[in-house]
Amino acid sequence: MDSKERVRRALAHEPVDRIPIGFFAIDFDTVERLLGHETYLRAKAKSQIAFWEGRRDEVVESWKEDTIELYRKLDFVDIVNVGAMASGVAPPNDYEPEKVRRVDATTWEADDGRVWKYSEITADLTLMTQTIPEYTDADFARDEVPLPPDPSVFEAVDAIIEALGDRHFILGPSGGEAGMVMLGDMAHGLMLYALQPDVVKQAIAYQTRMGTYQDEYYLRPGTDGVLWGTDFAATSGPFMSPRMFREFCLPSIKARVAAVKARGHSVLKHACGNNWKLLDMFVEAGYDAYQSIQASATMDLAAVKARYGDRLALWGGVRVENLVSGTPDDVRGDVATAMQVGAPGGGFILGTTHSVAVGTKFDNFMAMLDAYSEWSERAARLY
């Protein structure tokens, strides 16, 4: 059984030869330990700064070569996600770099006043200030048709699919999920759901329509599915009430899931946070799998499995907190528990909450892989 068949059978709750394994992403510091050299792959700040500096080809070459090298080394990992940031879709090869100047060691500023700060903890750039326009219905034309993207934006994606797509289950880019649209930053965007609901609905309808148009180009030949990454909740619960989520977001999500599935792709959903109040709608939306399952936000894998495991494939089990701050024994314990509660009845993929994040201890990462090797075939017999 190859990885493609193994993951497809897991998504369909059918027996597998071993429990599949995959990750939303493996961030650059772990990649560098595995490959023995520097990389732009999942180096979000480093890649963005290089794009600003006009070094696009250097970044794209790293994304291509290092993804292929990484998953040839980790050839037992079943899923390769090239739809995440700093791993796939890139600026076109004739792009004009945005004019951004470095203010100091941790600060960058654009001509329009936007300011980014670098975080040592996440190795990422955070947009600190921006001008938020006043939105109206006129900003979201009902008859607009997007221009096709320049094919060079898929240079890395297509090269990775060609090299790895015959063996691995490939999650690639799409026209986007559209459901929870934020006009401006999150605080402002959430307020607009209450203050300008008609404009927000028009924006969601616009992005839903644009996404379905863009699927024709972004759903690349050779990909098996998409993994959408917008979070809907914090650790305490959803960003908005379930009633508002059903009214504003769910119709778009259902439409986008249906459009992607009509093109023969699976739709998997990454969602950190406490999503208990939304999981019925995850099922209704038609998601094939729920990835992340954050135990530290009360999303206990055994409890989710008991209530939703017959309707959603579940992907996770290893706490990112343990990868970053725990011990190898903590991680091995996560794998053992996840296999014992996730595998029965099928529909389970081992992975981490969120990702193999920046700051992961290499010994912990290797302990996860060792424990997976010990458990993968044994747990498959629990189906």
Side-chain angles (χ1 to χ4, degrees):
M1 188 179 296
D2 65 14
S3 288
K4 283 186 179 292
E5 182 182 1
R6 186 175 299 115
V7 175
R8 287 172 182 152
R9 290 176 68 88
L11 295 177
H13 293 78
E14 296 173 355
V16 292
D17 59 339
R18 63 171 170 84
I19 300 300
I21 183 172
F23 308 103
F24 176 81
I26 303 175
D27 282 350
F28 73 95
D29 51 345
T30 299
V31 174
E32 290 177 348
R33 287 292 303 272
L34 289 165
L35 300 187
H37 58 74
E38 290 189 17
T39 186
Y40 284 103
L41 179 60
R42 284 293 294 178
K44 291 180 279 188
K46 184 179 177 182
S47 295
Q48 181 59 70
I49 292 165
F51 288 143
W52 287 336
E53 294 175 349
R55 294 184 284 117
R56 178 260 184 204
D57 291 350
E58 179 183 341
V59 175
V60 172
E61 194 64 21
S62 175
W63 288 0
K64 286 192 293 186
E65 292 183 357
D66 295 345
T67 300
I68 293 166
E69 182 182 357
L70 175 67
Y71 286 102
R72 283 179 173 163
K73 181 164 286 192
L74 300 176
D75 61 351
F76 58 90
V77 173
D78 297 288
I79 298 173
V80 176
N81 180 22
V82 290
M85 290 177 61
S87 66
V89 177
N93 53 23
D94 61 350
Y95 83 114
E96 185 69 28
E98 188 175 8
K99 293 180 180 179
V100 176
R101 66 185 183 90
R102 190 167 192 159
V103 177
D104 56 36
T106 61
T107 310
W108 286 257
E109 183 177 10
D111 287 352
D112 63 6
R114 285 172 296 154
V115 174
W116 292 265
K117 281 281 189 181
Y118 177 78
S119 166
E120 290 284 353
I121 296 174
T122 63
D124 200 0
L125 295 166
T126 299
L127 182 61
M128 307 299 293
T129 62
Q130 63 176 317
T131 300
I132 300 174
E134 292 293 327
Y135 292 98
T136 68
D137 284 354
D139 294 309
F140 310 106
R142 290 175 169 82
D143 58 353
E144 182 179 343
V145 176
L147 293 173
D150 187 302
S152 64
V153 305
F154 304 114
E155 179 182 340
V157 172
D158 289 346
I160 293 164
I161 293 169
E162 182 178 1
L164 302 176
D166 61 334
R167 294 190 64 247
H168 297 270
F169 191 90
I170 304 292
L171 297 172
S174 70
E177 59 183 310
M180 188 177 283
V181 172
M182 295 294 170
L183 300 177
D185 61 24
M186 179 169 286
H188 184 82
L190 285 172
M191 285 194 299
L192 290 185
Y193 277 77
L195 299 177
Q196 292 184 275
D198 291 341
V199 172
V200 171
K201 287 180 178 179
Q202 182 68 11
I204 292 172
Y206 172 85
Q207 292 199 17
T208 304
R209 189 169 60 255
M210 292 298 103
T212 300
Y213 277 122
Q214 294 284 24
D215 282 343
E216 180 177 349
Y217 309 103
Y218 281 79
L219 292 172
R220 308 303 290 171
T223 57
D224 301 287
V226 301
L227 175 57
W228 287 338
T230 300
D231 290 332
F232 298 148
T235 56
S236 59
F239 297 138
M240 63 180 64
S241 71
R243 180 192 62 78
M244 289 186 69
F245 187 90
R246 176 172 290 280
E247 177 185 352
F248 284 88
C249 307
L250 184 59
S252 167
I253 295 169
K254 291 171 71 172
R256 291 294 298 122
V257 169
V260 171
K261 286 190 170 184
R263 292 180 177 271
H265 292 71
S266 301
V267 180
L268 295 79
K269 177 59 187 168
H270 166 94
C272 296
N274 181 343
N275 291 289
W276 276 117
K277 294 180 179 179
L278 303 179
L279 286 186
D280 284 338
M281 285 181 274
F282 281 23
V283 173
E284 186 177 341
Y287 293 139
D288 294 293
Y290 167 31
Q291 187 273 331
S292 196
I293 316 175
Q294 186 181 343
S296 58
T298 78
M299 304 305 299
D300 176 74
L301 178 61
V304 178
K305 178 78 174 185
R307 290 178 58 182
Y308 294 94
D310 60 338
R311 292 172 288 168
L312 281 170
L314 302 179
W315 177 7
V318 180
R319 302 182 188 214
V320 68
E321 296 92 343
N322 282 342
L323 286 174
V324 173
S325 302
T327 67
D329 283 344
D330 292 331
V331 174
R332 292 188 188 98
D334 280 352
V335 173
T337 299
M339 289 296 202
Q340 292 173 76
V341 303
F348 180 64
I349 301 166
L350 186 78
T352 62
T353 57
H354 187 57
S355 63
V356 180
V358 169
T360 290
K361 295 175 184 174
F362 192 67
D363 286 349
N364 289 348
F365 178 77
M366 296 306 294
M368 174 177 61
L369 301 187
D370 287 344
Y372 169 75
S373 178
E374 176 186 346
W375 276 95
S376 60
E377 293 186 12
R378 188 196 323 178
R381 295 193 290 271
L382 298 175
Y383 180 83

